[in-house]
Each structure stands twice: as C-alpha cells, then as structure tokens.
C-alpha cells in the first residue's frame, strides 16, 4: 500500500496532555501533565493526523474519576481524549488522502494515530470548529434530547438550564424554530442572559445566581412549562418539576452542578409530583443515538447554512492551555462551545 504524505516536516515529537492524577472535588492544573511524546508512524489502515482544533466538554470530568460509568475513565499517566478535527499528514489508508480534514476522538495531543474506521471526513461547507459544536456532538445531543427524549411538540413551553452552553443554546433555538410557544433559559451571568434573549431569540432568561431558581422560573413561566432540558440538575431540576404542567417531559442530559461534589447530593424534594402530574423523565447518552445522525444533518445543516441557527464559540489558543480551557467549562466561563486551537 502506498503511504501518502502531505508534509515532510513532521517532527519526531509532539505535545500531549496526560492525566497526572485523579481529582478529589474540583480538578486543578496539578491533575494534568504537559508532555512530549514520540510521533508514531501509521500502519496499514491508519492515519497520522495533525490536530487543528479540539473540544473540551463537561462529561470529561466524569472520566477523570475511576468510578464506573457509561464510558471508560481516563488512565493516569496516559493522554486524555475527546473530539478533534485535524489534517491527515500521513495516510496508510485507501479511504483517506493526505491533506484531508477528518473528525476523530483523539484530541488532547498535537499528533494522533487514528484508525481509518474511527475517522470521518469533514466537509468544507462549514468551518472545522462547527463539527465540534453545532454539526457535531453538541448539536446531535440537543436535537435528540429535544425531539426524541423530551418528545417536543409544537406549542410547548420549554425551559433549558445551562442555556448559554454548547448544547443548551442550540436546544432553545431548535425549540423556537420548531414552533415552541415560549422558551426560557437559565445562565450564570447578566451578559449570558442578555445573549440568550437578544442574540438567540429566547423569550425569557434569568441569572440563577440572582435568587432562588424556582421563584425566577415561576416569574418567567407563569403558565408553567411542558418540557425541561436538564444540563444542571440540583435546584434547577427541583424547580422544573415544580413548574411542570400535567404530562410534562424532562430530558436528562447532564448535572454539572454535581460533577465536582465530594459527597452524595440530595435529590429533588418534590418527586411525588411525577405521580400527581403524570410526568416523564428520560436520561440519555448521545453515543446511543448514532442512527439519528442522518436525520439530524438533514434538519440542522440547512438551518446553519441559512443563518437561522446560530452557534457561539469561546476559543483558547494553544494545546498547553487545554487544561485551563477545560477548567473554564466547569466554572461556566464559556458562551457556547469551548474550543481549543491546538496550533
């Protein structure tokens, strides 16, 4: 098999970010190690990819712990991984050519050795970053969670927590574009609240730091809510249950308010309302919904091309700054998707 090379100046070593230790509570920079590693050469059926952009996401906090979950934990002393887009610099595959851009899951490093079965060609009809946000995992999460798990219906009133983040911002817009009666979002700053209502078309939004979530939600949704898309858990989930109309639906996507807790957190105190209001709640993992990718692209890609669906990015330059970008996501520093420009 002919090995195709796009760049003869591939170095012998490249930077990678490793898990140095497992955090207790909030992660710190001490839990990460910036290291130089040999750049490998691809075997038949493999690609050497020079990463351009990579994703940092809240779910990665769970993988820093050893607890059993839906995805294997990161290994101490080994590089972390996650979504990335990069250029094929050496191809030992008949399916890909050197110079192509591909989406894969080996971020957190400059150079990635990717099996051809784990790479997806990236179209030039959108910027590479879009395939890590609106046309990638966050977009599919928003689409599946709203349409399938929450069984969204035209005329619903929808509440989204973490609404200024990569997923939440898309959920609210998709609900409006598909005929929601009212869309409400919560966020962690006055600027994010302004962004939701003025830039993204939310009907109402509030800063959860300004007062009890239940009171602010009641004011924003005096007629109750039909759908809650949960990215936060905790007091937001309890407030949403209290505001639910009969036969309301909850899509449980995440609970970032609890990711760094060192002790078990109490659940909502109003769970009996699931009985009296006949509510339903469905947890989901986006990786279980690959069969919906085609429908997702057919529905969402035209909205992006036509400028009807907006996506925001917060960018951090340099792979060595990826740990700080990740910690920023946990603090809520980002508006929209947090992206690291690797080079």
């Amino acid at each position: 098999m002919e090995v195709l090379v796009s760049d003869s100046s591939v170095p012998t070593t490249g930077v990678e970010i490793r898990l140095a230790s497992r955090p207790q509570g909030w992660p710190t920079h001490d839990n990460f190690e910036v290291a130089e590693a040999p750049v490998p050469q691809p075997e038949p059926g493999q690609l050497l990819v020079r990463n351009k952009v990579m994703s940092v996401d809240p779910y990665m906090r769970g993988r820093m712990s050893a607890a059993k979950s839906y995805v294997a934990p990161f290994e101490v002393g080994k590089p972390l991984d996650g979504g990335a887009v990069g250029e094929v610099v050496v191809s030992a595959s008949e399916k890909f050519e050197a110079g192509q851009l591909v989406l894969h899951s080996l971020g957190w490093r400059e150079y990635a050795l990717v099996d051809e079965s784990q790479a997806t060609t990236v179209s030039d009809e959108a910027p590479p970053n879009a395939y890590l946000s609106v046309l990638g995992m966050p977009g599919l999460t928003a689409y599946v969670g709203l349409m399938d798990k929450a069984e969204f219906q035209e005329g619903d009133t929808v509440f989204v927590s973490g609404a200024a983040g990569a997923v939440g911002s898309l959920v609210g817009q998709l609900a409006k574009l598909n005929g929601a009666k009212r869309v409400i979002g919560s966020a962690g700053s006055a600027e994010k609240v302004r962004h939701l209502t003025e830039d993204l078309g939310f009907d109402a939004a509030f800063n959860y730091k300004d007062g009890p979530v239940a009171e602010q939600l009641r004011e924003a949704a005096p007629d109750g809510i039909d759908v809650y898309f949960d990215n936060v858990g905790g007091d937001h989930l309890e407030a949403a249950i209290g505001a639910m109309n009969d036969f309301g639906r909850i899509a449980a996507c995440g609970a970032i308010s609890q990711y760094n807790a060192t002790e078990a957190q109490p659940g909502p105190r109003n769970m009996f309302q699931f009985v009296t209001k006949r509510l339903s709640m469905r947890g989901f993992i986006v990786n279980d919904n690959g069969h919906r990718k085609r429908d997702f692209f057919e529905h969402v890609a035209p909205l992006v091309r036509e400028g009807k669906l907006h996506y925001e990015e917060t960018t951090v330059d340099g792979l060595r700054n990826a740990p700080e970008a990740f910690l920023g996501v946990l603090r809520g520093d980002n508006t929209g998707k947090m992206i690291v420009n690797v080079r």
Side-chain angles (χ1 to χ4, degrees), residues 166-208:
V167 173
S169 59
L170 300 176
V171 172
Q173 292 182 83
L174 286 172
K176 288 295 292 184
L177 289 167
N178 285 278
K181 177 183 178 181
R182 186 170 176 80
V183 174
I184 301 126
S186 71
S189 72
E191 173 54 30
K192 289 182 178 181
V193 168
R194 183 211 63 77
H195 172 63
L196 291 174
T197 56
E198 296 184 14
D199 300 334
L200 300 186
F202 281 61
D203 296 289
F206 60 85
N207 182 349
Y208 66 85

Side-chain angles (χ1 to χ4, degrees), residues 139-152:
L140 181 61
T141 302
Y143 180 79
V144 168
L146 180 67
M147 300 301 185
D148 297 356
K149 311 309 175 184
E151 299 179 348
F152 171 81

